[in-house]
């Protein structure tokens, strides 16, 4: 059928055609021979439009054996080329007589081949002698289990989230994180038994936001799993303890902060009660800041301990010891904190008096050990924990439970095992230490500028007493000074399940606050 073409506009520069879609494929060429052919085609197109007939254009040389219609022509210069249609993939026919067009079974992903476990080169250690017969423990994370590959097989007890995730996914999703953490705790306890470690600090993030004012929840939903973990630890004779973070400030002048601290301790208390860990499952709490008035802060701390619960680096052991003796709350002596903020009386005397409280309460004593990072000079630098400890303290009692607060976790325990011959180690579970350790912790800092300015001011460790008196804090409210911890969970065996009774009865060991690191999740939890 004849084509209907739009009007033709003849200009001074030659023939210019405004074509419809049927004339949109006339070739644009550059050579001389093709230009002649293009002119010929234009003339034929004009003639065909005038006579209302189809276009038939012969090739050059009069050969009409290969004639083309206007549908085959390419667009001239300046005309847009039509967009090609997207190809729609047709579904493969299913074999076996099924209906045509149905999709076949999805292709299975090829599993990525796991890289073999590297062969670690473990260097020898310098052997030392000691009469120590107690237990060494590590805190919260097992590096061997955490770094398992593939990541789906990784084992750890600190799955957590943010408040936005709670609002998006709901509270049941958050509670399921707690279940997964407890299941992995059971795996960690078994791993510790297989490797000769009988002392473990539980992660405070076992149940995310359980103590939050708005999103908090009871742990009764996970009672069976918690009991299973506690029973396994008791069967092996393991000791499980907790240590709430430094944001737990029982001596704060703000009622909201003290209330949040009490909720946090009640949460830990319920977790230990449901596990049935007994009186040795203590909860170590930081002493807190001085807030510009040490005497008033100690009075608030005493009031909070006696009325609600039961004190870290704004007080040294000598300052907290009388309070612990008065309230009959065991003191956790920390060798690293005592080095940074020494008392006027020797450590041996403090340990003797502190052990007397433990014995009156019929709780096995515990202490903390850590060392500054290599190259640390200023006070702020020396507060950061090293990857491993190289020596046991001189005044360490032979039967003490010693928590090793080091970045390498269970590897730090194995390191002391090898140095002092305390227990055999499985070579396959050993990992080499960092060959180039630095004074940097590689962790997030609350305020880098503030920390740097504080470090510049604290070149002399004697200045710590001035900080204590002035109640200086970092930008996030973390106190700068403090050297020993108080075990606030000495009465955990008598903790009642109701919040009101546990607030009145729960008294635990108190510790001096460690560092200035704090995550955003922790700040959310505090609010």
């Amino acid at each position: 059928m004849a084509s209907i073409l739009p009007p033709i506009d003849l200009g001074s520069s030659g023939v210019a055609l405004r074509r419809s879609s049927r004339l949109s494929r006339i070739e644009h060429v550059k050579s001389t021979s093709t230009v002649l052919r293009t002119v010929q085609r234009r003339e034929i197109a004009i003639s065909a439009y005038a006579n209302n007939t189809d276009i038939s254009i012969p090739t050059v040389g009069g050969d009409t054996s290969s004639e083309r219609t206007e549908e085959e022509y390419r667009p001239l210069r300046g005309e847009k080329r039509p967009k090609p249609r997207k190809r729609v993939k047709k579904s493969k026919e299913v074999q076996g007589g099924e209906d045509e067009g149905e999709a076949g079974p999805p292709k299975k992903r090829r599993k990525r081949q796991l890289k073999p476990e590297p062969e670690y080169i473990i260097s020898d250690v310098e052997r030392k002698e000691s009469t120590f017969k107690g237990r060494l423990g590590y805190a919260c994370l097992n590096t061997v289990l955490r770094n398992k590959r593939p990541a789906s097989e990784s084992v750890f007890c600190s799955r957590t989230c943010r408040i936005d995730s709670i609002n998006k996914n709901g509270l049941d999703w958050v509670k399921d994180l707690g279940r997964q953490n407890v299941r992995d705790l059971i795996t960690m306890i078994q791993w510790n038994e297989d490797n000769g470690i009988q002392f473990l600090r539980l992660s405070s993030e076992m149940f995310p936001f359980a103590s939050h004012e708005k999103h908090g929840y009871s742990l009764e939903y996970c009672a069976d799993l918690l009991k299973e973990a506690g029973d396994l630890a008791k069967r092996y004779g393991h000791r499980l303890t907790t240590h709430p973070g430094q944001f737990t400030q029982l001596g704060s002048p703000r009622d909201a902060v003290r209330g949040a601290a009490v909720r946090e301790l009640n949460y830990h208390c319920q977790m230990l009660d449901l596990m049935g860990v007994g009186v040795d499952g203590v909860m170590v709490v930081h002493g807190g800041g001085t807030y510009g008035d040490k005497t008033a802060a100690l009075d608030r701390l005493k009031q909070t301990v006696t009325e609600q619960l039961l004190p870290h680096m704004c007080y040294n052991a000598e300052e907290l010891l009388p309070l612990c003796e008065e309230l009959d709350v065991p003191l956790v002596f920390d060798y690293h904190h005592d080095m940074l903020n020494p008392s006027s009386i020797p450590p041996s005397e403090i340990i003797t008096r502190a052990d007397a409280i433990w014995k009156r309460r019929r709780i096995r004593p515990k202490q903390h050990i850590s060392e500054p990072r290599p190259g640390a000079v200023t006070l702020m630098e020396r507060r950061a924990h090293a990857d491993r400890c190289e020596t046991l303290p001189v005044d360490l009692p032979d039967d003490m439970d010693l928590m090793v607060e080091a970045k390498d976790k269970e590897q730090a325990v194995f390191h002391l095992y090898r140095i002092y011959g305390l227990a055999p180690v499985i070579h396959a579970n050993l990992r080499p230490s960092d060959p180039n350790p630095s004074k940097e912790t590689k962790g997030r800092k609350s305020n880098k500028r503030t920390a740097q300015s504080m470090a510049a001011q604290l070149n002399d460790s004697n200045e710590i007493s001035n900080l204590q008196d002035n109640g200086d804090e970092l930008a996030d409210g973390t106190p700068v000074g403090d050297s020993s911890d108080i075990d606030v969970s000495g009465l955990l065996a008598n903790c009642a399940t109701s919040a009101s009774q546990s607030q009145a009865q729960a008294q635990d060991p108190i510790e001096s606050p460690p560092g200035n690191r704090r995550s955003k999740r922790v700040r959310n939890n505090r609010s």
Side-chain angles (χ1 to χ4, degrees):
M1 190 174 178
S3 304
I4 299 176
L5 301 177
I8 299 175
D9 182 15
L10 299 178
S12 59
S13 60
V15 180
L17 302 178
R18 184 183 303 155
R19 288 165 173 74
S20 66
S21 61
R22 297 199 63 184
L23 289 181
S24 63
R25 300 181 61 81
I26 297 180
E27 287 185 336
H28 170 63
V29 289
K30 296 181 180 179
S31 64
T32 306
S33 60
T34 54
V35 167
L36 295 175
R37 187 169 53 203
T38 303
V39 172
Q40 182 184 17
R41 286 172 182 163
R42 286 177 175 172
E43 292 174 352
I44 295 173
I46 295 171
S47 175
Y49 176 76
N51 299 326
N52 197 22
T53 59
D54 290 334
I55 300 175
S56 179
I57 301 177
T59 59
V60 176
D63 185 7
T64 59
S65 60
S66 57
E67 296 182 347
R68 294 183 298 179
T69 63
E70 71 276 10
E71 293 290 335
E72 297 175 281
Y73 295 143
R74 297 175 184 174
L76 292 172
R77 180 181 299 176
E79 293 186 351
K80 292 185 179 179
R81 189 184 299 271
K83 294 182 179 179
R85 292 182 180 180
K86 292 184 179 179
R87 293 184 179 180
V88 179
K89 291 184 178 180
K90 295 182 180 180
S91 58
K92 295 181 179 179
E93 295 182 5
V94 182
Q95 297 179 358
E98 295 184 6
D99 295 338
E100 185 177 351
E102 291 185 4
K107 290 184 179 180
K108 292 184 178 180
R109 278 191 176 182
R110 219 169 44 171
K111 289 186 177 180
R112 181 185 298 176
Q113 292 183 352
L114 297 178
K115 295 181 180 179
E117 186 72 20
E119 294 184 4
Y120 298 103
I121 300 176
I122 308 299
S123 58
D124 293 333
V125 296
E126 180 184 354
R127 298 298 300 271
K128 301 177 183 179
E129 298 295 329
S130 176
T131 59
F132 178 71
K133 302 297 181 183
R135 296 182 291 190
L136 299 182
Y138 66 94
C140 307
L141 180 72
N142 184 301
T143 63
V144 173
L145 297 178
R146 182 66 178 90
N147 294 320
K148 291 185 68 174
R149 293 293 180 268
S152 58
E153 297 181 7
S154 181
V155 176
F156 61 105
C157 303
S158 55
R159 295 172 182 84
T160 186
C161 62
R162 298 187 179 185
I163 292 181
D164 288 344
S165 300
I166 300 177
N167 296 331
K168 177 181 177 181
N169 301 319
L171 199 58
D172 289 340
W173 176 81
V174 179
K175 290 183 177 181
D176 189 57
L177 295 179
R179 290 191 188 93
Q180 296 178 57
N181 287 336
V182 180
R183 292 189 189 100
D184 279 5
L185 172 62
I186 296 173
T187 303
M188 287 178 60
I189 294 173
Q190 183 61 56
W191 191 95
N192 287 346
E193 173 64 18
D194 297 339
N195 288 270
I197 299 177
Q198 297 184 324
F199 188 17
L200 176 67
R201 177 189 295 169
L202 304 180
S203 171
S204 294
E205 294 183 334
M206 286 272 290
F207 295 91
F209 290 93
S211 65
H212 195 271
E213 184 176 14
K214 177 182 177 182
H215 301 286
Y217 50 90
S218 172
L219 308 185
E220 291 291 341
Y221 80 97
C222 202
D224 293 341
L225 273 177
L226 286 170
K227 185 177 184 302
E228 182 180 349
D231 290 345
L232 183 64
K234 283 191 292 186
R235 183 161 75 247
Y236 290 143
H238 291 194
R239 184 177 189 178
L240 303 178
T241 63
T242 65
H243 189 8
Q246 66 268 24
F247 63 88
T248 307
Q249 298 286 318
L250 295 173
S252 172
R254 296 171 54 193
D255 294 339
V257 174
R258 293 198 305 274
V262 170
R263 290 196 306 273
E264 182 73 6
L265 298 185
N266 282 333
Y267 144 62
H268 283 80
C269 185
Q270 185 186 23
M271 179 172 63
L272 294 173
D273 281 347
L274 292 174
M275 295 179 71
V277 296
V279 294
D280 286 344
V282 296
M283 182 166 54
V284 181
V285 182
H286 298 124
T290 61
Y291 304 99
D293 189 340
K294 182 179 293 187
T295 302
L298 281 172
D299 290 341
R300 287 192 301 272
L301 179 60
K302 178 180 177 181
Q303 180 181 4
T304 306
V305 168
T306 54
E307 294 181 0
Q308 300 184 59
L309 280 167
L310 196 197
H312 194 146
M313 231 170 112
C314 288
Y315 308 95
N316 58 29
E318 182 181 4
E319 292 167 331
L320 290 178
L321 186 57
L323 176 64
C324 293
E325 290 174 332
E326 178 185 352
L327 301 177
D328 205 27
V329 176
L331 177 77
V332 178
F333 186 77
D334 190 303
Y335 292 93
H336 187 190
H337 296 169
D338 189 70
M339 177 193 69
L340 299 177
N341 190 6
S343 305
S344 62
I345 56 180
S348 57
E349 181 179 343
I350 297 176
I351 293 172
T352 300
R353 291 170 60 182
D355 284 357
I357 307 175
W358 290 95
K359 292 178 181 178
R360 284 199 302 270
R361 299 289 300 278
R362 299 181 180 179
I363 305 173
R364 181 164 179 165
K366 64 165 293 198
Q367 294 178 353
H368 292 177
I369 180 178
S370 54
E371 295 179 1
R373 297 187 66 80
V377 177
T378 67
L379 177 63
M380 294 297 294
E381 292 172 348
R382 290 187 293 129
R383 291 180 63 179
H385 293 172
D387 294 340
R388 303 183 183 189
C389 296
E390 299 295 334
T391 58
L392 291 174
V394 176
D395 298 309
L396 177 66
D398 289 346
D399 59 346
M400 184 63 60
D401 280 350
L402 189 62
M403 177 58 63
V404 182
E405 296 184 316
K407 301 299 180 182
D408 282 350
K409 306 298 181 179
E410 83 292 337
Q411 297 300 318
V413 174
F414 290 156
H415 190 62
L416 290 173
Y417 279 3
R418 298 175 66 209
I419 291 176
Y420 291 96
L422 301 177
V425 296
I426 300 175
H427 189 273
N429 288 332
L430 293 179
R431 300 292 182 267
S433 59
D434 186 355
N436 300 306
S438 67
K439 61 184 179 181
E440 304 297 333
T441 61
K442 302 177 183 178
R444 290 186 296 179
K445 299 298 180 182
S446 57
N447 190 311
K448 188 174 182 180
R449 287 186 177 180
T450 305
Q452 290 175 346
S453 62
M454 293 298 295
Q457 297 174 11
L458 296 177
N459 290 326
D460 189 349
S461 61
N462 293 329
E463 294 183 21
I464 192 169
S465 58
N466 296 330
L467 285 175
Q468 294 173 9
D469 295 337
N470 296 331
D472 290 351
E473 298 176 347
L474 298 176
D476 61 355
T478 305
V480 173
D482 189 2
S483 102
S484 68
D485 304 343
I486 302 179
D487 182 353
V488 179
S489 55
L491 291 181
L492 276 179
N494 299 326
C495 277
T497 54
S498 67
S500 59
Q501 291 178 348
S502 63
Q503 288 179 358
Q505 296 181 11
Q507 299 180 357
D508 307 321
I510 303 181
E511 184 193 41
S512 30
N516 61 344
R517 287 169 286 119
R518 195 156 123 208
S519 69
K520 184 177 181 180
R521 289 192 299 269
V522 167
R523 291 196 295 271
N524 289 337
N525 201 4
R526 177 178 178 179
S527 62

